[in-house]
């Protein structure tokens, strides 16, 4: 079954431009993510993965009464923002949760594990 592991974190705690303010910490975080990515690739379960740009670059689109509305930023005010994801093909939810716990961002943010709905 496919699971989407959504990585959430507070951009103020681990900002997208961390590389400018603390190169050593950014390098460590990047190494941890590269190691995790390699591990899921070697396990043969990764179907996709991408980091996302800062919420400063996000736009939300809504259609109300036939009119398109756009708003700068994410869809809701939250303390944590969606930072990226991994799409994994796991045998069980327990396996997906095990992998989610290994994602470096789980140390300072949260990982939402959501099964992919399949239409027949």
């Amino acid at each position: 079954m496919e699971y989407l592991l959504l990585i959430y974190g507070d951009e103020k705690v681990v900002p997208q431009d961390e590389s400018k303010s603390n190169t050593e910490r950014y390098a460590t975080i990047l190494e941890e993510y590269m190691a995790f990515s390699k591990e899921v690739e070697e396990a043969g379960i990764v179907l996709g993965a991408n980091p996302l740009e800062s919420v400063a670059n996000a736009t939300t689109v809504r259609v109300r009464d036939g009119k398109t509305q756009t708003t700068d930023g994410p869809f809701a005010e939250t303390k944590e923002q969606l930072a990226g994801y991994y799409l994994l093909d796991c045998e069980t939810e327990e396996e997906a949760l095990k992998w989610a716990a290994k994602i470096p961002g789980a140390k300072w943010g949260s990982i939402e594990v959501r099964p992919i709905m399949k239409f027949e």
Side-chain angles (χ1 to χ4, degrees):
M1 180 165 210
E2 294 177 12
Y3 290 88
L4 188 60
L5 283 58
L6 299 163
I7 304 164
Y8 289 93
D10 185 342
E11 288 184 356
K12 294 178 183 125
V13 175
V14 181
Q16 298 291 338
D17 64 350
E18 180 76 28
S19 59
K20 295 175 187 167
S21 60
N22 187 339
T23 339
E24 187 176 321
R25 179 177 154 112
Y26 179 76
T28 300
I29 292 168
L30 188 57
E31 286 174 17
E32 290 175 355
Y33 268 100
M34 297 305 283
F36 177 79
S37 295
K38 182 178 181 185
E39 189 176 357
V40 291
E41 286 173 15
E42 288 176 351
I45 60 170
V46 69
L47 301 173
N50 283 297
L52 300 176
E53 291 284 340
S54 168
V55 294
N57 298 322
T59 303
T60 299
V61 176
R62 293 178 179 85
V63 177
R64 301 293 186 265
D65 299 320
K67 295 180 182 174
T68 301
Q69 305 169 351
T70 59
T71 308
D72 291 341
F75 67 94
E77 275 300 313
T78 61
K79 292 185 180 195
E80 294 184 331
Q81 297 80 35
L82 181 60
Y85 70 90
Y86 284 90
L87 178 59
L88 304 181
D89 188 10
C90 299
E91 294 293 322
T92 64
E93 180 182 23
E94 291 75 25
E95 181 185 0
L97 295 173
K98 177 191 83 162
W99 286 110
K102 290 183 169 190
I103 295 175
K107 296 175 193 168
W108 60 81
S110 61
I111 312 300
E112 178 182 347
V113 177
R114 179 132 7 138
I116 300 293
M117 184 183 298
K118 298 286 185 173
F119 292 101
E120 306 271 333

